[in-house]
Amino acid sequence: MFRLISVLLALVLTVAACAPSAPQIGADGKPLPKAYRISARDAGKIQFRMLDSVNALRAAAGRPAVQLESRLNAAAATHSKDMSRQNRPWHFGSDGSSPIDRISRVGYGGPLVGEVISETYESELETLAAWMDQPDTRRVIMSVEARNMGFSWHQESNGKIWWTLVMGG
């Protein structure tokens, strides 16, 4: 009998340990977000998920699709890393460069339509949703002049992600 009770008690404790813990609640009464970690496996897919999502939004609004452009990706990657070093999300590089300077440095010959940036712990798709909620960033993403897109990020060891999306004509 004692053995049966011990086994049942161990089983109950094991099952209780497997139960999900309640999420931590913030001051606003909503669950606190968890940092989105970019795995090596996902890193190669993120740009294409963003491209597909942007093009789906553009198609729904009757806008032409954009293509990923490697030089714009390079400009976006450079700026994401630079924003992390500066620890501030803004459109100027630590050397005073503008988005126009950055696309010129990588050899992109088309015009700059706009640059969209973010400092967050959220995924690329959550970030895109936030961008689409703001008129100025939405205008860049949905611009009829846009033909090419560059997209990149830099993730810090604490999970913070610096996202940069560049649209070119």
Side-chain angles (χ1 to χ4, degrees):
M1 182 72 169
F2 180 72
R3 180 176 265 181
L4 180 60
I5 292 173
S6 297
V7 169
L8 286 177
L9 182 59
L11 188 61
V12 167
L13 290 175
T14 301
V15 170
C18 293
S21 61
Q24 292 182 325
I25 304 297
D28 60 358
K30 295 180 181 176
L32 292 174
K34 293 184 179 179
Y36 172 65
R37 293 286 179 176
I38 300 171
S39 69
R41 184 177 56 90
D42 283 339
K45 299 175 185 175
I46 289 175
Q47 288 175 322
F48 296 104
R49 280 197 302 252
M50 181 60 87
L51 177 67
D52 291 344
S53 298
V54 165
N55 279 334
L57 291 168
R58 290 176 61 85
R63 303 289 195 278
V66 293
Q67 303 296 315
L68 269 180
E69 213 289 335
S70 61
R71 292 167 292 191
L72 294 179
N73 287 341
T78 298
H79 192 54
S80 292
K81 289 176 188 165
D82 192 41
M83 285 190 297
S84 173
R85 280 192 294 274
Q86 296 181 69
N87 195 34
R88 77 195 234 186
W90 72 326
H91 294 283
F92 296 97
S94 56
D95 60 357
S97 62
S98 70
I100 293 172
D101 297 328
R102 287 189 292 278
I103 68 167
S104 177
R105 286 179 187 165
V106 296
Y108 183 73
L112 174 71
V113 171
E115 179 182 75
V116 181
I117 58 173
S118 182
E119 167 195 17
T120 185
Y121 292 89
E122 297 176 329
S123 74
E124 69 280 3
L125 299 181
E126 291 168 311
T127 301
L128 177 59
W131 286 337
M132 293 301 288
D133 281 342
Q134 299 301 315
D136 55 338
T137 53
R138 180 183 178 87
R139 195 169 18 261
V140 170
I141 294 166
M142 301 302 286
S143 172
V144 295
E145 289 86 25
R147 296 291 178 262
N148 297 302
M149 181 182 98
F151 180 68
S152 196
W153 66 92
H154 174 74
Q155 186 164 37
E156 297 177 356
S157 60
N158 66 4
K160 184 188 294 184
I161 308 170
W162 301 86
W163 300 106
T164 304
L165 182 142
V166 182
M167 292 294 221

